[in-house]
Amino acid sequence: RWLVRARALCRSRLGRAAEAVDELAELAAERPRDEELLAELLRSEAATAGPAAALARYETYRRTVRDELGSDPGPALRQLHQQLLQGEAPAVRHGVAHEPNPLLGRDADLAAVAGLLRTSRVTSIVGAGGLGKTRLAHAVSRRAEQRIVHFVPLAGITRDDEVAAEAATAVSGAEAGPPGSRPAVPRDAVTGILDALGAGPALLVLDNCEHVVRGVAELVRALVALSADLRVLTTSRTPLGLTSEAVHALPELTPAAAAELFRQRARAIRPDVDLPDEAVRQLCAHLDGLPLAIELAAARSRVMSVAELTGHLGDRFVLLRGGARDAPARHHTLHAVIDWSWTLLDQRGQAAMRALSVFPDGFTAEAARHLLDVDVWGLLDQLAGHSLVKVLDTPAGTRFRMLETVREFSAARRGEAGETEQATTGFLAWAVDFALAHHDSLFAADLVPAMRRVGAEQDNLVHALRHGIDHEDGPVVAATAAVLAGLWTFESNFGRMAALVEDTAWLLSHFRPEPDLVAATRAALVLSAVNSFLLQGPRPTRSLAALRRLPPAAPGTLVHAAETVIRAVAAADFGPLFALCDDDDPLVAGLAEGVAGYAWSALEDPERALAAAERMVAVFEHRDSPWMRAVAHARVGELCLELERGEDARRSIGTVLAVLDETGTWPGAARIRGALVLAQLQVGAIDEAEHWLERAMLTGGGEAAGASMVDVGARAEILLARGDTDTGLRLWRQAAERLRSTKDTGPGADGWAWETQAVTVVAHAHHRRLDLVTEITGELPRALPGLLGDAAMSVPVCGAVLLALALADLDRAQTPGERAAAVRLVALAERFRYARGFHPTMSSARIRALAEQADKPAYADARSEYAGLGREDLRAAAIAALAVRPRDRA
């Protein structure tokens, strides 16, 4: 019961009276002399049933105590009684405005500030201009628990010594003249304010304090020292700096709330305005979620579309002006809002803002030192104190970020001051120094912290790289390309790597680095060559030619091993590559085994490919290179899936996921979890497959390559395995339909789309429902010749299409000859090693059973006939088989 008592007291003190009142009443009946319990019951009862009910309960208790003990209730209870008596009087809300329209997106902030007001004598709502601090303070004031609330705006005064007089005038209700005509602050101003507020709980709200923060702090300190029940709420762009103060940093609106605010304001101005969801979301993102900026932009929707508004935000300080007539003058333009804070900075602070605005995506204190030759921490404290930079605790450490609006304002001031060239020079010096310090750490033992540090600076580094390319600045390009190539290779971000290779190839191939830039230049060139190989296959590249001009990398490093292996690959002869598998340098041998695995796959020998991948695992298993260990195990898992060794695939992929758990979520994680889903399906672990499918989608699977097929296809297979045939087949048809528009039969045709069509047909064939996919079965024969002739098309995808046609033919075969032709096509699809990821549909055992049941001798003969054919002969056999297929019957 003591735990129940503690819970009830906590609920009451947290303002959750409705939850606490019944429990408190039950406990009070058990402990009629527990005055702490009774006090909370009275407070909760007053909040739920009204002060009269609480006063009646107090009076009953008072009489009982007097009759039984001849005494009065304790002092705390008597004081609460006085407060309840005051609560019967009408509430005073002086200067508190009612909302002109709904307050959006601030429910959590309302609750947070109300909670701080219960536990702290002074609460400050702090944030940048235009966030809605004043409006939030009005909303808090209307809902305040205190009976007496006085709201005092301070925007109209200019000196610290005017604060007390302004507050005293507002609280007393006296007429106030213009600031210059006010009398000097009387000595008893604090006492006068307290007398006007009266005895008992009261709330004093001081709005817009940042320009007179010293005067506000002195007044609030005195008020708190001379009163017990007064609470003070301030709004400011900088905290007061008092020990009695709790700060609520008001955040920007969430994307959803920002978009809704824009829609409401825009439609209020022009009811028929077109507001596309994505365009509105992008506009509000560029406006930093600032309510004022959003409202000013919405006002422009009277004459501009959302797209036009977004396109003109480069000149936002000219565009966003006007505002509502009932808004303060300083809120009539976005420029005025930022300028209000700017003028409160000293010259050093303004100079720092101009310089630091060169960073497009925030900065660290160390980065700031490259641009500021003064006390960096002191300056950053000043800027954060004025809400001009945000302080963020990230996994990579503390970062500072400007809102885009503030950064553009500061950049404009930098241009006016003629400081852009100086700031850019400092920024590029930081980028080079940072890249040289981190470019090789992504492949070392400290992978996790390195990845976080580099990832946090990615946008800044890209900005530096772009500048280097535009100005043909070799040192900047070499350094930033090295560190970005390492990050994007680790992330398997092949799209960005392809663009990086293309954009930097010429400049890096002509760059002659100084000694301190040789290692970074070599890393950039090696990673460019590696990714060219992965994306376009073995071929000579500018990167390899440029590497010959650099001194060799030190043996025993991954860069040296990668360069050695990629040179062997570029020879377009597997012999040198296979020879490196026995190299004395284990890193060279390990990487060579990994690449040899792909060579064996190209030679259609998956067993040897798997053996090579397993030898790569053995090399990297116990080395301080978690990324290479993950790559090796991922390759083993991929090959085990291809060979339908589901249990082995599960083990290897599990190892990869363990490494990913150490490094955090990265783009490859969703793809690896998708592979684990397929492995679970292969072994019949349906519940586990469903679990990992949800995990894959939660961690970015919706954006991974082929995600539509993995997601919908895996869900379809799970349903089919559980016997829900109709729903499973419908999901396959939906996946096929969604991807049909993306495919063609020319070079580079979309393999995912064609595989989806094929698996859809196979699934329907298993369940004798090919009548639902006649459009697809009509397309596949016409598309297959083009797919077979496309060197970029995956052979297993062609095999899946052949299998789909084979099962369609088998389903409608009416003569022994037609059945024999169909099972021969099944055998041919097997030699193409058709894609087997999706089980139970693409299970080779299931397919083999169908073929043997239809015509076992013909199937055995075809397997024997096709067993020794090479790739070109297999293509020719496929074309010949297509030519003699029976035509579609009506």
Side-chain angles (χ1 to χ4, degrees):
R1 298 298 289 178
W2 281 106
L3 290 176
V4 174
R5 178 183 183 277
R7 181 179 64 188
L9 292 175
C10 288
R11 283 175 171 169
S12 175
R13 289 164 182 166
L14 288 171
R16 293 157 60 177
E19 299 177 37
V21 64
D22 291 339
E23 202 165 50
L24 287 169
E26 181 181 343
L27 291 166
E30 297 174 5
R31 298 179 174 86
R33 297 291 182 266
D34 188 338
E35 293 197 350
E36 181 185 18
L37 198 65
L38 181 59
E40 292 304 329
L41 173 58
L42 295 178
R43 290 190 181 96
S44 294
E45 204 162 41
T48 54
L55 288 169
R57 185 182 291 276
Y58 174 84
E59 184 60 22
T60 300
Y61 176 74
R62 185 189 66 79
R63 289 176 180 174
T64 300
V65 170
R66 176 172 294 179
D67 292 345
E68 294 181 0
L69 303 177
S71 64
D72 291 322
L77 209 57
R78 294 200 303 273
Q79 183 181 10
L80 176 59
H81 176 238
Q82 291 302 314
Q83 295 172 3
L84 290 172
L85 288 173
Q86 293 172 357
E88 290 283 79
V92 174
R93 295 290 185 267
H94 184 78
V96 180
H98 288 278
E99 295 181 3
N101 39 53
L103 180 63
L104 298 174
R106 292 303 188 194
D107 291 346
D109 299 295
L110 281 169
V113 174
L116 291 176
L117 284 172
R118 294 189 194 100
T119 58
S120 302
R121 296 295 307 279
V122 182
T123 299
S124 293
I125 303 173
V126 174
L131 275 175
K133 299 183 294 295
T134 296
R135 183 161 186 194
L136 179 65
H138 278 294
V140 170
S141 299
R142 280 192 305 276
R143 298 164 173 78
E145 298 173 356
Q146 291 79 7
R147 185 178 64 85
I148 297 174
V149 179
H150 280 265
F151 197 102
V152 182
L154 299 177
I157 64 173
T158 58
R159 301 200 312 267
D160 289 319
D161 59 8
E162 295 179 326
V163 172
E166 182 75 8
T169 300
V171 171
S172 67
E175 290 294 327
S181 67
R182 292 193 182 96
V185 179
R187 293 181 179 178
D188 60 350
V190 173
T191 303
I193 292 172
L194 294 175
D195 288 343
L197 291 173
L203 175 64
L204 176 64
V205 184
L206 302 173
D207 184 42
N208 289 116
C209 303
E210 57 272 354
H211 59 302
V212 286
V213 68
R214 184 175 301 172
V216 172
E218 292 174 357
L219 173 63
V220 171
R221 181 168 52 243
L223 290 171
V224 169
L226 295 177
S227 66
D229 296 325
L230 176 65
R231 293 288 192 270
V232 179
L233 175 65
T234 74
T235 72
S236 179
R237 302 186 190 188
T238 180
L240 302 183
L242 301 176
T243 57
S244 56
E245 179 186 34
V247 174
H248 177 73
L250 188 62
E252 300 80 42
L253 290 177
T254 64
E260 181 58 26
L261 175 63
F262 181 85
R263 291 189 193 96
Q264 289 192 10
R265 298 294 186 270
R267 288 196 174 112
I269 293 169
R270 182 154 64 102
D272 61 345
V273 63
D274 184 28
L275 299 174
D277 288 343
E278 182 60 21
V280 170
R281 186 194 66 78
Q282 291 181 3
L283 172 63
C284 293
H286 285 301
L287 294 173
D288 295 316
L290 287 173
L292 175 63
I294 292 167
E295 294 192 7
L296 291 172
R300 288 295 188 200
S301 66
R302 186 191 309 275
V303 293
M304 299 177 72
S305 69
V306 177
E308 288 171 334
L309 280 167
T310 303
H312 285 78
L313 282 184
D315 199 10
R316 69 180 68 202
F317 296 108
V318 174
L319 176 69
L320 302 181
R321 55 178 60 243
R325 291 190 175 92
D326 56 354
R330 66 184 186 281
H331 284 182
H332 284 184
T333 71
L334 189 60
H335 182 281
V337 172
I338 307 302
D339 191 57
W340 175 272
S341 292
W342 183 267
T343 57
L344 296 177
L345 294 174
D346 59 25
Q347 290 186 354
R348 291 194 321 149
Q350 292 178 357
M353 289 293 293
R354 292 194 297 268
L356 295 173
S357 64
V358 75
F359 288 95
D361 191 35
F363 49 88
T364 63
E366 181 60 33
R369 287 193 181 94
H370 282 75
L371 285 83
L372 308 175
D373 55 358
V374 293
D375 174 18
V376 170
W377 288 111
L379 273 174
L380 292 176
D381 185 61
Q382 179 190 7
L383 302 181
H386 283 79
S387 301
L388 288 170
V389 300
K390 298 181 67 176
V391 184
L392 305 173
D393 291 322
T394 72
T398 302
R399 290 186 66 79
F400 303 88
R401 189 184 302 275
M402 296 181 192
L403 295 179
E404 186 176 342
T405 303
V406 173
R407 193 177 75 82
E408 289 187 8
F409 182 95
S410 303
R413 305 290 81 73
R414 184 181 73 233
E416 293 168 0
E419 298 169 349
T420 297
E421 183 177 353
Q422 178 184 353
T424 301
T425 299
F427 169 71
L428 295 177
W430 162 81
V432 171
D433 287 350
F434 179 88
L436 293 180
H438 295 90
H439 73 87
D440 58 350
S441 58
L442 285 170
F443 299 94
D446 61 343
L447 167 68
V448 177
M451 182 187 69
R452 289 172 177 165
R453 287 191 296 268
V454 175
E457 302 292 357
Q458 176 176 245
D459 289 346
N460 288 331
L461 293 167
V462 169
H463 184 66
L465 174 67
R466 286 282 136 221
H467 185 280
I469 292 172
D470 292 342
H471 293 80
E472 297 187 3
D473 188 331
V476 171
V477 172
T480 55
V483 73
L484 288 170
L487 176 67
W488 294 338
T489 299
F490 170 78
E491 293 182 338
S492 301
N493 196 330
F494 298 120
R496 300 196 79 163
M497 270 307 305
L500 178 69
V501 172
E502 181 178 353
D503 293 343
T504 62
W506 185 90
L507 197 152
L508 288 178
S509 68
H510 291 77
F511 177 53
R512 303 297 185 269
E514 296 295 326
D516 61 330
L517 283 164
V518 168
T521 306
R522 183 192 299 111
L525 291 170
V526 167
L527 289 170
S528 293
V530 168
N531 281 276
S532 294
F533 162 69
L534 291 174
L535 296 171
Q536 300 174 8
R539 63 187 184 88
T541 65
R542 285 182 180 268
S543 302
L544 285 174
L547 279 169
R548 295 190 182 97
R549 293 194 295 267
L550 298 179
T557 64
L558 274 173
V559 171
H560 170 265
E563 181 180 354
T564 302
V565 172
I566 206 68
R567 286 191 187 283
V569 172
D573 180 359
F574 290 145
L577 172 64
F578 292 152
L580 287 179
C581 295
D582 297 321
D583 197 271
D584 293 336
D585 185 337
L587 292 180
V588 172
L591 285 180
E593 291 285 12
V595 179
Y598 288 98
W600 288 119
S601 290
L603 294 171
E604 299 178 26
D605 195 335
E607 294 289 351
R608 283 190 174 181
L610 178 58
E614 288 172 339
R615 288 192 292 271
M616 182 185 182
V617 166
V619 170
F620 290 103
E621 186 65 39
H622 302 294
R623 291 187 175 272
D624 291 333
S625 181
W627 183 73
M628 292 304 303
R629 188 165 69 251
V631 168
H633 279 285
R635 178 59 175 155
V636 169
E638 176 187 355
L639 289 165
C640 286
L641 279 176
E642 180 182 336
L643 292 168
E644 294 182 282
R645 291 165 54 173
E647 287 292 351
D648 294 335
R650 288 206 298 184
R651 281 194 297 272
S652 293
I653 296 170
T655 302
V656 178
L657 289 175
V659 175
L660 298 187
D661 288 340
E662 295 174 14
T663 59
T665 299
W666 55 288
R671 189 178 69 254
I672 295 299
R673 291 190 174 99
L676 183 56
V677 172
L678 301 183
Q680 302 288 5
L681 287 171
Q682 277 195 5
V683 299
I686 306 305
D687 291 341
E688 290 85 346
E690 189 168 40
H691 165 76
W692 284 105
L693 179 60
E694 298 302 327
R695 290 282 302 274
M697 294 303 108
L698 286 173
T699 53
E703 298 179 1
S708 294
M709 182 175 181
V710 173
D711 179 16
V712 181
R715 294 186 191 283
E717 292 298 293
I718 289 169
L719 289 166
L720 292 175
R722 288 177 172 160
D724 189 351
T725 303
D726 290 343
T727 308
L729 294 180
R730 183 169 66 251
L731 283 180
W732 268 125
R733 292 196 300 277
Q734 289 173 354
E737 182 60 33
R738 184 158 61 244
L739 291 175
R740 282 179 72 192
S741 62
T742 69
K743 60 181 174 50
D744 59 67
T745 57
D750 190 334
W752 281 113
W754 286 112
E755 185 179 345
T756 301
Q757 315 304 305
V759 178
T760 300
V761 170
V762 174
H764 283 72
H766 281 312
H767 297 280
R768 309 302 297 271
R769 298 305 308 273
L770 285 170
D771 57 302
L772 300 176
V773 290
T774 55
E775 192 170 356
I776 300 175
T777 56
E779 281 184 351
L780 293 181
R782 294 189 292 272
L784 189 53
L787 298 179
L788 289 168
D790 180 6
M793 177 53 61
S794 164
V795 172
V797 171
C798 293
V801 175
L802 281 170
L803 179 65
L805 294 177
L807 295 190
D809 288 351
L810 189 59
D811 180 77
R812 56 195 173 190
Q814 297 179 355
T815 67
E818 290 176 347
R819 283 193 293 274
V823 298
R824 287 180 60 82
L825 205 54
V826 170
L828 187 58
E830 289 180 328
R831 276 293 287 121
F832 271 81
R833 304 206 61 80
Y834 62 80
R836 304 181 186 191
F838 289 95
H839 276 225
T841 292
M842 303 300 283
S843 164
S844 61
R846 188 176 188 183
I847 302 298
R848 188 179 303 114
L850 282 175
E852 290 179 344
Q853 182 179 1
D855 193 331
K856 188 173 182 178
Y859 176 61
D861 288 344
R863 283 170 59 87
S864 176
E865 178 183 341
Y866 296 138
L869 297 184
R871 178 171 298 184
E872 292 306 316
D873 289 336
L874 284 172
R875 290 180 187 272
I879 297 295
L882 286 176
V884 298
R885 284 183 70 244
R887 298 304 176 195
D888 293 342
R889 299 182 179 85

